[in-house]
Amino acid sequence: MSKKYNPSKVEAKWQAKWEADGLYAANIDDARPKHYAITMLPYPSGDLHMGHWFAMTPSDARARFKRMQGFNVMFPMGFDAFGLPAENAAIKRNIHPKEWTYANIANMITQMKSIGTMFDWQRVAISADPEYYRWTQWFFLKLYEKGLAYRKWAAVDWCPKDNTTLAREQVIGENRVCERCGTPVIKRELEQWFFKITDYADELLDFSGIDWPEAVKTLQTNWIGRSEGADVSFKTETGDEFVIFTTRPDTLWGATFMVLAPEHPLVEKITTDEQRAAVKEYVAQTGRQSDIDREATDREKTGVFTGGYAINPVNNERIPIWIADYVLLTYGTGAIMAVPAHDQRDFEFARKFGLEVRPVIQPEGEMLLDGDKMAAAAAHYGVMVNSGPLDGTVADEAVAKTVAYLDKQKIGKAAVGYRLRDWLISRQRYWGAPIPMVYCESCGIQPVPEDQLPIELPDDIEWRPTGESPLKFHPSWKHTTCPNCDEPAIRETDTMDTFMCSSWYHLRYLSPGYDKAPFDPKEYDYWMPVDTYTGGIEHATMHLIYTRFFHKALRDMGIAEGHEPMLQLRNQGQILSHDGQRMSKSRGNVVDPDELVGEYGADAVRAYLMFGYRWSEGGPWMTENIQGVVRWLHRAWSLFTEEQTGGGGASEKVQRGLRRKVHQTLRKVGDDLERFEFNTVVSAMMELLNQMLEAKEQGAVGTSAWDEAQDYYLRMLAPVVPHFAEELWAEMGKPYSIHTQAWPELDQDAAKEDEITLVVQVNGKLRDRITVPVGLSEAETRARALESEAIKAFVDGKPPKKVIVVEGKLVNIVL
């Protein structure tokens, strides 16, 4: 007898059973091929929003599909639990960030279970657990031993009122003010810890052996920014040497001024007394800007003359040294030679401040360039002119000949430059993994011994009104002894960038309770590398590039194996609010998935997220559109639960047509799940349901084709709507669980069409369509076309000049 579909009852029932049975626990099984799938772990902000669901549920559907294909699938989940939001929430709510974080984690786990995901909850990794960050600290020590972790002075954003360093996220608005107090932020030099990611720049440009989206590879390639050129040594008039990197050394003779970053250490030394006030004011003004603002190509050029001069090494000319905000100390050497005749930014700067424009590359076949009359910079291809010993050198040879000349004169050499900078990992805040280093007056910087890890965060902290890290002012935590001389020493009070924690969480999933190493080697040997990794493309140039660097560094230390941590990467788009904007609590446009689950059930929401959007693109949320999915599920429920009567009378053609549609759908669903095209999976299942309903009306119930259709339908549904499929599978008396069943076997012969429709043209114009049996000979196809009544009217008894048959597509009758 039919019973009403009650999603909340069905879903709660199966979630409890799956958890009690450990249905999704993944263990080593050498008899099956493994498939390690991960969707990027969330930050425990408090509640899952629709964006989490959009990332997780299609990824879950594909992991379920791979399991039914026979793979031993591990699909774990964790939480990127350290970081600024928890610290800000703690200050705002006057609670401990640990309390806020772990309460959110507990809530989010409950929500994730309500989705019906196959997450393996025995493998949870939480970066704020001391058992986790013990190994984050251990990895830091290993990088330090390898020479990949070092400390140096670097510019940071600084709040002069709160007297504290600010993370990038704490600087808000176009005016770049402190999030906490609204004071304008300035730049300040501070000694901080870095990782030498630049040592791996060239290797990070090699994407061979991994299946990653071209967009991500392009973003990473541009971020690394490799360029070939030359390092050239300049000297100031007072004899101080500084190096510039240029990709066009052949334009050196056209350098008419130099530009230093305002923060460059030489600025103070070369600035004359007459220019000192102007330079000081400009340096302060630049300190208020972000690097992104300073690099914008469309902004007005500004700068100040230092009063100092440099000597151009190729012609010994005395050229002025300026400072300008468009030159960054963190990019290249923080100094450039300016060639205004052949660089538009330099050209605009030169015109604004009345500096010389001297062409040194003459484009072939064009009028001779005149620097005084040029309206814009000229492209630097053609023949070298005004270039001393290299005059007349053609474009193809210019760079190589110039580099050889510089090398011979001992004033420069071939070099490779990178946009990539070393990874700054120091954070001046409490809620993060403490950096395991101590400072001793006698011994200097010393690493904490491994047997003293983890260096745990103190719970008894006090937030200061300034917002400074409580670690700096804790009465006892930072005081320790030097591991080398046993004298009093001070702990490092900076904590690590949370990207350090998330660079290795996929390794902790392997064995989260293992205490002898970051991971159990047996688990690593079986599960690694990650087969499929899913998440947002916004992580391309931070998390994803850091993770690749981290793996390569571990490989070189003998801790990991292979060249890449993740073989396949796929990115989902973004679910926006109804108005097309990003969902935000502050905007009040967040769609609460819990409310929708309560009204329609988790499976309906899962299916709509897959059906309503291309997963790689996303789009605006439209609650009303979920109704189509709800109706589909209820129709399917009725088909499977209503009494199966009135069968046995279906013709052979009906049965064959049903089998054909089932196997065609199976082929499409399997291909689309493999390719992450979830919207067409659901639409194909909707189409198949329609044909099953028609076949039922035509007496298919009770036939072998009908039994196969029901069996295959539920197994194809299982990855998309797991509770719904499990309940109907049980109703049919099938063995528990549908999620341990094999993916249906495709019969290619059954999927073949019996008949096809051909277009019939007369003199190239569409005049009819005919249906013919598959495999009909060319002669028979030609005859069928000519027999068409519609075609006879156009032919009008005239013999055709020729009849062209394009197999499986069309017939063209030429009169």
Side-chain angles (χ1 to χ4, degrees), residues 131 172 190 306 320 335 462 557 562 767 788:
E131 297 80 9
I172 59 173
L190 196 69
T306 64
E462 183 178 342
M557 290 186 277
R767 298 304 187 189
S788 160

Short mmCIF file of all heavy atoms in Angstrom, two decimals, residues 131 172 190 306 320 335 462 557 562 767 788:
data_model
loop_
_atom_site.label_atom_id
_atom_site.label_comp_id
_atom_site.label_asym_id
_atom_site.label_seq_id
_atom_site.Cartn_x
_atom_site.Cartn_y
_atom_site.Cartn_z
N GLU A 131 46.68 18.25 19.96
CA GLU A 131 47.22 17.07 19.30
C GLU A 131 47.47 17.32 17.81
O GLU A 131 48.27 16.62 17.19
CB GLU A 131 46.25 15.88 19.45
CG GLU A 131 46.04 15.42 20.88
CD GLU A 131 45.04 16.29 21.63
OE1 GLU A 131 44.38 17.16 20.99
OE2 GLU A 131 44.93 16.15 22.86
N ILE A 172 40.36 47.70 6.91
CA ILE A 172 39.10 47.73 6.17
C ILE A 172 38.90 49.07 5.46
O ILE A 172 39.47 50.10 5.85
CB ILE A 172 37.90 47.44 7.09
CG1 ILE A 172 37.82 48.48 8.21
CG2 ILE A 172 38.00 46.04 7.67
CD1 ILE A 172 36.58 48.37 9.06
N LEU A 190 58.85 45.24 11.01
CA LEU A 190 58.80 44.34 12.15
C LEU A 190 59.53 43.06 11.80
O LEU A 190 59.47 42.60 10.66
CB LEU A 190 57.34 44.03 12.50
CG LEU A 190 57.05 43.41 13.87
CD1 LEU A 190 57.33 44.43 14.97
CD2 LEU A 190 55.60 42.95 13.95
N THR A 306 64.69 62.62 -4.76
CA THR A 306 65.46 62.51 -3.50
C THR A 306 66.58 63.54 -3.43
O THR A 306 67.11 63.80 -2.34
CB THR A 306 66.08 61.11 -3.37
OG1 THR A 306 67.04 60.93 -4.43
CG2 THR A 306 65.02 60.02 -3.42
N PRO A 320 69.02 61.07 -12.19
CA PRO A 320 68.39 61.36 -10.90
C PRO A 320 67.68 60.13 -10.31
O PRO A 320 67.18 59.28 -11.03
CB PRO A 320 67.39 62.46 -11.22
CG PRO A 320 67.07 62.27 -12.66
CD PRO A 320 68.35 61.77 -13.30
N ALA A 335 63.92 48.48 -6.62
CA ALA A 335 64.52 49.57 -7.40
C ALA A 335 64.36 49.25 -8.88
O ALA A 335 64.46 48.08 -9.27
CB ALA A 335 65.99 49.72 -7.05
N GLU A 462 43.94 37.43 29.08
CA GLU A 462 43.19 38.66 29.32
C GLU A 462 43.31 39.53 28.08
O GLU A 462 44.41 39.82 27.61
CB GLU A 462 43.77 39.40 30.53
CG GLU A 462 43.01 40.66 30.89
CD GLU A 462 43.59 41.35 32.12
OE1 GLU A 462 44.34 40.69 32.88
OE2 GLU A 462 43.30 42.54 32.31
N MET A 557 62.47 16.44 2.38
CA MET A 557 62.95 16.07 3.72
C MET A 557 62.73 14.60 4.02
O MET A 557 63.02 14.12 5.11
CB MET A 557 62.26 16.94 4.77
CG MET A 557 62.70 18.39 4.75
SD MET A 557 61.99 19.36 6.11
CE MET A 557 60.39 19.79 5.47
N GLY A 562 56.28 11.59 -3.66
CA GLY A 562 55.58 12.11 -4.83
C GLY A 562 55.75 13.61 -4.96
O GLY A 562 56.19 14.30 -4.03
N ARG A 767 13.29 20.11 -45.84
CA ARG A 767 11.92 19.94 -46.35
C ARG A 767 11.14 18.86 -45.60
O ARG A 767 9.92 18.84 -45.64
CB ARG A 767 11.97 19.56 -47.84
CG ARG A 767 12.60 20.63 -48.73
CD ARG A 767 11.92 21.96 -48.59
NE ARG A 767 12.40 22.95 -49.56
CZ ARG A 767 12.09 24.24 -49.54
NH1 ARG A 767 11.29 24.71 -48.59
NH2 ARG A 767 12.56 25.06 -50.46
N SER A 788 9.01 9.95 -49.42
CA SER A 788 8.29 10.88 -48.56
C SER A 788 7.33 11.74 -49.37
O SER A 788 7.70 12.31 -50.41
CB SER A 788 9.30 11.79 -47.82
OG SER A 788 8.66 12.95 -47.36
#
